[in-house]
Amino acid sequence: MNVSMTTVNKVQKTTSTIFAVMLISMVGYFIFWGLGYTHYNSPVLFILATLFGVFMAFNIGGNDVANSFGTSVGAGTLTVPQALGVAAIFEVSGAVIAGGEVTKTIRSGIVDLGTLHIVPHDFVFVMMAALLAAALWLLFATYKGLPVSTTHSIIGGIMGAALTLGFIISSGDSNTLDIVQWNKIAEIAVSWVLSPLLGGMLAYVLFRLIKVYVLDYNTDVELKLKEIKKEKKQFKEQYKLRFDALPEKEKLEAASAMAQDAQIFSDRESAEEELEFESEYYRTLYEFEKRRQSLSIYKALQSWVPIISSLGLMMIVAMLLFKGLNNLNLGLTALHNSLIVFMAGALVWMATYIYARTLKRKDLGKSTFIIFSWMQVFTASGFAFSHGANDIANAIGPFAAIMDVLRTGEIGDTAGIPPIVMITFGIALVVGLWFIGKEVIKTIGTNLAEMHPASGFAAELSAATVVMLASLMGLPVSSTHILVGAVLGIGMVNRNANWRLMKPIGMAWVITLPSAACLGAIIFLVLRTIF
């Protein structure tokens, strides 16, 4: 035991060293490249901005990505190293492939910086302050194991720094508050309730259906099978005692009848055939077999599970097409996307059904969880790709704006993002998951509610569905809050939801924006004073 633990510790230390060296090397190369890209304008600011941006991406990995993979790890579908591998491939791929060639510089989102008539360096200070403020808040929340919204964090950082600049420029004019679109802030407040509520409701309904029509059905069937097996064993034992007690002549007659019946019994095609047996032994065994066949043992595995798997993958493909790959402008119409979704669903239904047919004579519960494990890996991968394509913009967006200002000397409406930025920040994201993501994974995967492959799949699918539908409908939601709500919905079905843990999590959600805003204001003042 001690030897194996020592080996694990050595592997973890080696992995940590490799990741640390990889990140430092990548950041070093990026700084070397970036100084040339920005024509060596304000090199100290560029280096600081790079460190702040990478630090933000690192903390997004430790909190947001850890939150996304918490259910997979908690369910036992993936280990932490495996989750890291999936995240490395799909998060970075999402960022590089579908992260968007151009990102808006966040001049007119929650805060309209365009109305302030600010100089380029002040804009840089606002974005740098926002990155560091959001990163520090995420680091604190991650250390406490609290999943919070990275989007709300960066918005808070920008808001605090921008308001501080506004008050400085306007000498305390109360109109400065008008640069904040307070209706958007109200929408964020609404998302604190709406996001977990929608995630929880859908997860509750979906997992309730899976529990009743698949898990409970299989449990009931397995109990009946055990009962039949027990009765069959008792009958064989009793029959042997009776057979041994028979006179020799009757033994020979019974043995002869059993020999004939054995051939008929072994040649039967199914228990539905009406067969006649001479011996009591095989007549009774045949009745046991008919009882067993009448249970429709694989009904859930061959009917409900393929349908659920098909719907699950359809939703993941839809999320990828309508959200994850939306930035690529592939030229696909809604009809094209819909046909792709239905084709994917049909393929998965056929594949799952055929696979389910091959699992006969195997453990029913394990077979069911094997299929749900596979589906959970697909949902986690799709979620990771979409996350990489969208949420990494919380780090890259402000940094791209900084880099563009330093390069051109003016504030533009858009900022191009070279692929090396995506790769560097993507690596920082994965490294953050490895070094500091374990606490948030533990919160989502085990502390909020107990998970297994079926419930983990239901939570991830529910979260992905709500994220996509809310995006299409324009509802103000947070993917982090949605997944937390989905896990609680699962816990409600299983009656093991940890409501006490929701108190600090809910409090963290509420204070994320104001905390990041306060940090942003302080950091902005420090940067403006120094530079």
Side-chain angles (χ1 to χ4, degrees):
M1 183 68 179
N2 291 332
V3 174
S4 61
M5 285 299 294
T6 303
T7 305
V8 170
N9 290 335
K10 284 183 179 178
V11 171
Q12 288 180 342
K13 286 180 180 179
T14 304
T15 306
S16 298
T17 303
I18 291 171
F19 275 122
V21 170
M22 182 172 65
L23 180 61
I24 293 169
S25 303
M26 192 68 208
V27 172
Y29 174 75
F30 176 76
I31 290 174
F32 173 76
W33 172 88
L35 287 170
Y37 181 79
T38 56
H39 310 303
Y40 290 90
N41 295 327
S42 304
V44 176
L45 280 182
F46 174 75
I47 292 171
L48 272 179
T50 299
L51 295 177
F52 290 178
V54 169
F55 185 45
M56 175 61 174
F58 179 88
N59 283 287
I60 290 175
N63 197 288
D64 221 11
V65 178
N67 173 60
S68 300
F69 282 94
T71 49
S72 299
V73 175
T77 300
L78 296 173
T79 62
V80 172
Q82 288 170 339
L84 188 78
V86 174
I89 295 169
F90 289 93
E91 291 276 352
V92 176
S93 297
V96 175
I97 295 171
E101 293 299 320
V102 178
T103 294
K104 292 183 179 179
T105 58
I106 322 176
R107 290 186 71 208
S108 55
I110 299 293
V111 179
D112 190 359
L113 294 173
T115 63
L116 290 178
H117 307 292
I118 59 177
V119 297
H121 267 59
D122 278 338
F123 177 82
V124 169
F125 295 149
V126 168
M127 291 301 157
M128 287 176 66
L131 282 172
L132 184 56
L136 288 173
W137 170 249
L138 286 174
L139 182 63
F140 171 78
T142 304
Y143 175 74
K144 295 291 185 181
L146 302 172
V148 295
S149 171
T150 56
T151 304
H152 295 177
S153 300
I154 197 68
I155 287 171
I158 292 172
M159 189 175 76
L163 282 174
T164 304
L165 175 61
F167 280 118
I168 292 173
I169 292 175
S170 61
S171 302
D173 188 350
S174 60
N175 291 331
T176 300
L177 293 173
D178 294 339
I179 69 171
V180 177
Q181 297 186 28
W182 295 104
N183 61 318
K184 297 288 185 183
I185 301 298
E187 287 183 0
I188 289 175
V190 169
S191 77
W192 296 334
V193 177
L194 187 63
S195 297
L197 187 64
L198 291 175
M201 287 172 60
L202 185 57
Y204 181 90
V205 172
L206 178 60
F207 184 60
R208 185 76 183 171
L209 290 173
I210 292 174
K211 191 172 188 301
V212 171
Y213 290 102
V214 179
L215 303 182
D216 288 352
Y217 179 87
N218 286 348
T219 301
D220 185 54
V221 166
E222 285 182 325
L223 287 173
K224 289 178 179 177
L225 283 173
K226 285 180 181 178
E227 186 62 30
I228 291 172
K229 189 176 180 181
K230 182 181 176 182
E231 290 179 19
K232 189 175 177 181
K233 183 181 178 182
Q234 289 176 345
F235 165 74
K236 285 182 175 181
E237 289 174 351
Q238 291 171 359
Y239 187 85
K240 185 178 183 303
L241 292 174
R242 293 204 309 271
F243 181 83
D244 290 341
L246 290 174
E248 198 64 33
K249 183 180 179 182
E250 291 183 24
K251 270 188 183 180
L252 290 172
E253 291 175 355
S256 175
M258 288 170 65
Q260 292 177 4
D261 290 346
Q263 186 64 40
I264 298 171
F265 191 80
S266 63
D267 290 344
R268 77 194 188 287
E269 292 185 1
S270 72
E272 295 177 4
E273 294 180 75
E274 286 300 326
L275 301 176
E276 293 185 3
F277 296 95
E278 289 186 31
S279 65
E280 177 196 356
Y281 183 77
Y282 278 102
R283 276 199 303 271
T284 308
L285 287 186
Y286 188 59
E287 289 301 318
F288 281 127
E289 189 63 22
K290 287 170 72 174
R291 279 175 59 190
R292 185 179 180 279
Q293 291 292 331
S294 68
L295 293 177
S296 299
I297 301 169
Y298 300 99
K299 178 182 175 182
L301 201 61
Q302 295 176 3
S303 57
W304 283 105
V305 172
I307 292 172
I308 293 167
S309 300
S310 175
L311 291 174
L313 197 83
M314 285 171 67
M315 188 53 62
I316 293 300
V317 172
M319 186 177 73
L320 291 176
L321 290 172
F322 289 103
K323 188 171 170 68
L325 296 172
N326 191 46
N327 298 328
L328 290 182
N329 299 316
L330 298 173
L332 296 173
T333 65
L335 177 61
H336 293 151
N337 287 336
S338 300
L339 289 173
I340 292 171
V341 168
F342 282 114
M343 283 192 297
L347 287 172
V348 169
W349 181 88
M350 286 189 290
T352 310
Y353 177 75
I354 292 168
Y355 180 63
R357 295 272 296 181
T358 67
L359 294 175
K360 284 191 174 183
R361 301 287 178 184
K362 294 185 179 180
D363 186 278
L364 194 57
K366 287 182 181 178
S367 300
T368 303
F369 279 158
I370 285 171
I371 295 177
F372 277 117
S373 294
W374 276 106
M375 292 312 302
Q376 193 178 12
V377 171
F378 286 130
T379 53
S381 302
F383 213 79
F385 185 90
S386 182
H387 181 272
N390 291 275
D391 287 11
I392 199 173
N394 291 324
I396 290 178
F399 180 76
I402 294 169
M403 198 162 61
D404 190 64
V405 170
L406 293 179
R407 184 169 184 261
T408 63
E410 57 185 29
I411 306 170
D413 290 329
T414 58
I417 305 176
I420 191 172
V421 180
M422 294 289 192
I423 295 170
T424 303
F425 280 52
I427 289 172
L429 196 105
V430 174
V431 174
L433 173 63
W434 172 258
F435 277 105
I436 63 172
K438 294 180 180 64
E439 289 302 318
V440 173
I441 285 176
K442 193 185 296 182
T443 297
I444 295 296
T446 56
N447 294 348
L448 267 179
E450 292 179 12
M451 289 280 137
H452 52 62
S455 59
F457 166 75
E460 288 176 8
L461 178 58
S462 300
T465 303
V466 173
V467 167
M468 194 199 74
L469 294 179
S471 298
L472 294 176
M473 296 168 65
L475 296 175
V477 295
S478 162
S479 58
T480 299
H481 300 176
I482 290 168
L483 189 57
V484 169
V487 172
L488 285 174
I490 301 298
M492 288 173 66
V493 176
N494 289 331
R495 298 181 181 178
N496 61 10
N498 185 359
W499 292 104
R500 280 194 296 180
L501 186 56
M502 264 312 295
K503 185 177 179 180
I505 291 176
M507 182 62 70
W509 291 355
V510 172
I511 66 173
T512 287
L513 195 143
S515 297
C518 291
L519 287 169
I522 294 168
I523 295 167
F524 173 79
L525 289 173
V526 172
L527 288 172
R528 205 167 189 264
T529 301
I530 294 174
F531 296 99

